[in-house]
Amino acid sequence: ADIFKLYWSDFQSNNRVTPRQYKVVYDILHCRSGDFGYSVNVCDTCGHTELFANSCRNSHCPKCQGRKRQEWVDARMEELLPVPYFHCVFTIPNRIFPFCLFNQKLVYDLLFSSVAETLHEFGYDPKWAGGKSGFFMVLHTWGQQLPVHPHIHCVIPGGAYDETTGEWIHHKYERNNFLYPVKALSRVFRGKFVSGLEDAFCRGELNFPEELASLGTFPMFKGWLRELVFHDWVVYAKRPFSSPENVVRYVGMYTHRVAISNNRLISCDNGVVRFWFKNYKRLNEVEHYNEIWEEMELTADEFIRRFLHHVMPKGFNRIRYYGFLSNNNKELLEKIHHLLLTEKESELPSNEPKAYTGIPCPRCETGVLMPFVILDGCGNILNGDVEEFIDFRRERERRYNREPKSVEVLDSS
């Protein structure tokens, strides 16, 4: 937000900005500033009142993702299966990156569908699983230095559901920490994605940037696709997670990220932005993982330009679910749970994370602040009742003042 306050006007005067990008920057600039209104919060123990500025709730805002991430993790904990989980990453080549900026929705939708079809194809193959698989995917469009680098993180339970017999098929190679051969995955994924691009060209759905304007004819576009096929596409499969609990904890770091978080920013002076990034090329040269962190400088214009490259189209969903983990297969997922959970496993203690309860009260330090009335930027009541708020606050203050308090609480009051 500080960077946009200083340099957004100059950037707008020298660069074209889409309405969607403008909306994202506006929300970040006004997030928790009071322009979106306030919420009146009351402590459920002592009746103390606090006024908080509303957040923008934009998915590209680095200040608005923590709560959503925790809610997502809590929801995924209920879906975990007692089987090994695998993490795969599918990446498209650098040559496609300029093309993505002018065909965002088409390319990213095609990336999702190509990966999903590939994983389903391998899941139904009797050589690997032989049944209906399930997985969810998270799209990232950036690298550590904020270039356009679209790739998908996939989390896949090891095994499949036999739709004929109604039984669970355990993965044949899970003892060897092996899901599917990555070279075979890469070839099938590449073929499906390239075929999808060719079909989109034939339907006239592609836009070509200036540097790729020569590809507007089918022979030139076909030749460009042929060059893509000649190169290997990167598919990376990590070892399975140690426990289902670690699945949620690990993937939760990927789900609601933005291109760069506030804690990576170092400074912004004289039109230059400095920030931290991980140099993965030095992984084999250092003794400790933290040593790969390095500093980088970009002009404010270039920093803003790179950030805006990762603004998603309106309504675009970066997290998607497939197979027996999809929303329309809740009953099937519950059936698989019953198939896999043995009596011994059902007696294990729950690893569910503590749900979000609210902001601790700064006065009594034992209660939490509850939102009672929510106002918009013009002072209109969006939610809540003022009379109910007043009655609740008076009742809590009366109860708190009647209860015996320690010396420390009295002093702080």
Side-chain angles (χ1 to χ4, degrees):
D2 292 335
I3 295 171
F4 284 134
K5 287 176 184 176
L6 292 172
Y7 303 108
W8 177 238
S9 297
D10 293 339
F11 181 86
Q12 275 187 289
S13 61
N14 300 320
N15 299 271
R16 294 177 60 186
V17 180
T18 66
R20 176 63 176 162
Q21 291 172 336
Y22 182 87
K23 175 67 165 59
V24 169
V25 175
Y26 178 88
D27 287 349
I28 294 176
L29 278 169
H30 297 85
C31 182
R32 301 183 187 179
S33 65
D35 292 338
F36 293 119
Y38 294 86
S39 64
V40 183
N41 297 259
V42 185
C43 175
D44 60 358
T45 301
C46 68
H48 175 69
T49 304
E50 290 276 352
L51 200 65
F52 295 123
N54 293 337
S55 60
C56 66
R57 296 187 177 184
N58 195 302
S59 60
H60 300 85
C61 177
K63 293 183 289 187
C64 293
Q65 300 305 301
R67 175 79 177 271
K68 292 181 181 179
R69 182 187 299 113
Q70 185 60 48
E71 291 175 349
W72 184 89
V73 168
D74 292 345
R76 299 288 78 74
M77 285 294 287
E78 300 178 358
E79 300 177 353
L80 289 179
L81 300 173
V83 297
Y85 277 73
F86 297 83
H87 177 206
C88 293
V89 182
F90 291 78
T91 306
I92 55 179
N94 293 343
R95 295 175 63 88
I96 303 179
F97 297 166
F99 193 74
C100 294
L101 299 178
F102 293 82
N103 302 271
Q104 271 190 326
K105 189 175 187 307
L106 187 147
V107 171
Y108 296 155
D109 281 339
L110 179 59
L111 180 56
F112 270 111
S113 61
S114 300
V115 174
E117 291 172 10
T118 300
L119 293 177
H120 279 309
E121 187 172 312
F122 276 78
Y124 277 111
D125 191 337
K127 183 178 180 181
W128 308 113
K132 186 183 184 70
S133 58
F135 46 89
F136 60 85
M137 301 190 286
V138 183
L139 172 68
H140 279 185
T141 62
W142 57 84
Q144 283 289 306
Q145 300 179 20
L146 304 186
V148 180
H149 179 65
H151 57 284
I152 280 185
H153 295 266
C154 307
V155 174
I156 313 163
Y161 176 74
D162 192 325
E163 297 174 292
T164 304
T165 64
E167 297 179 352
W168 177 259
I169 306 171
H170 287 277
H171 201 274
K172 298 179 181 179
Y173 302 99
E174 63 183 30
R175 292 186 177 180
N176 299 326
N177 297 333
F178 179 77
L179 181 65
Y180 306 132
V182 291
K183 290 186 178 180
L185 282 173
S186 174
R187 289 192 292 268
V188 175
F189 163 56
R190 179 184 61 190
K192 293 182 179 300
F193 188 91
V194 170
S195 176
L197 275 183
E198 184 175 348
D199 292 342
F201 181 91
C202 294
R203 294 192 299 267
E205 298 175 352
L206 298 179
N207 299 312
F208 294 93
E210 294 179 1
E211 59 267 30
L212 296 178
S214 59
L215 303 180
T217 61
F218 185 74
M220 295 296 294
F221 187 74
K222 189 72 173 179
W224 182 71
L225 292 180
R226 195 176 298 113
E227 292 180 7
L228 293 178
V229 175
F230 286 153
H231 298 278
D232 291 331
W233 290 27
V234 178
V235 176
Y236 175 65
K238 292 187 176 182
R239 294 172 63 88
F241 297 97
S242 57
S243 70
E245 180 186 2
N246 289 335
V247 175
V248 175
R249 187 177 295 117
Y250 180 83
V251 179
M253 299 187 299
Y254 286 91
T255 52
H256 295 80
R257 279 185 178 177
V258 295
I260 185 169
S261 58
N262 284 334
N263 58 8
R264 283 178 56 194
L265 299 174
I266 301 173
S267 64
C268 180
D269 300 311
N270 301 321
V272 176
V273 179
R274 295 173 58 240
F275 60 94
W276 296 102
F277 77 98
K278 292 179 182 178
N279 186 357
Y280 290 108
K281 296 180 180 179
R282 298 185 60 239
L283 266 178
N284 298 326
E285 304 173 4
V286 299
E287 297 181 359
H288 195 274
Y289 183 78
N290 289 335
E291 296 179 16
I292 66 173
W293 284 99
E294 296 182 4
E295 293 185 15
M296 182 176 182
E297 292 185 354
L298 290 175
T299 63
D301 268 16
E302 180 62 19
F303 179 88
I304 294 175
R305 182 180 297 106
R306 293 192 185 189
F307 182 87
L308 295 181
H309 282 168
H310 308 292
V311 172
M312 292 288 100
K314 184 178 181 180
F316 189 86
N317 192 354
R318 293 197 305 113
I319 308 175
R320 303 186 185 183
Y321 308 84
Y322 298 85
F324 58 74
L325 290 181
S326 61
N327 291 330
N328 58 349
N329 279 306
K330 295 296 184 182
E331 294 182 1
L332 177 58
L333 180 60
E334 186 176 350
K335 182 178 180 180
I336 294 174
H337 267 286
H338 288 303
L339 289 173
L340 292 173
L341 287 176
T342 64
E343 293 183 2
K344 182 178 179 181
E345 289 166 338
S346 63
E347 295 172 357
L348 293 175
S350 174
N351 288 321
E352 292 188 8
K354 184 180 179 181
Y356 177 81
T357 56
I359 302 173
C361 176
R363 179 187 177 191
C364 65
E365 300 181 354
T366 57
V368 293
L369 298 174
M370 303 170 55
F372 254 81
V373 180
I374 299 177
L375 310 172
D376 64 13
C378 298
N380 302 313
I381 297 178
L382 297 176
N383 192 13
D385 184 88
V386 176
E387 293 184 0
E388 182 182 355
F389 155 70
I390 295 174
D391 293 340
F392 181 86
R393 181 186 178 189
R394 286 175 178 172
E395 189 273 333
R396 292 298 170 176
E397 284 182 335
R398 249 188 257 112
R399 180 185 301 180
Y400 180 73
N401 291 329
R402 285 200 305 266
E403 292 176 351
K405 308 175 186 61
S406 63
V407 176
E408 289 80 4
V409 174
L410 288 172
D411 289 343
S412 64
S413 300

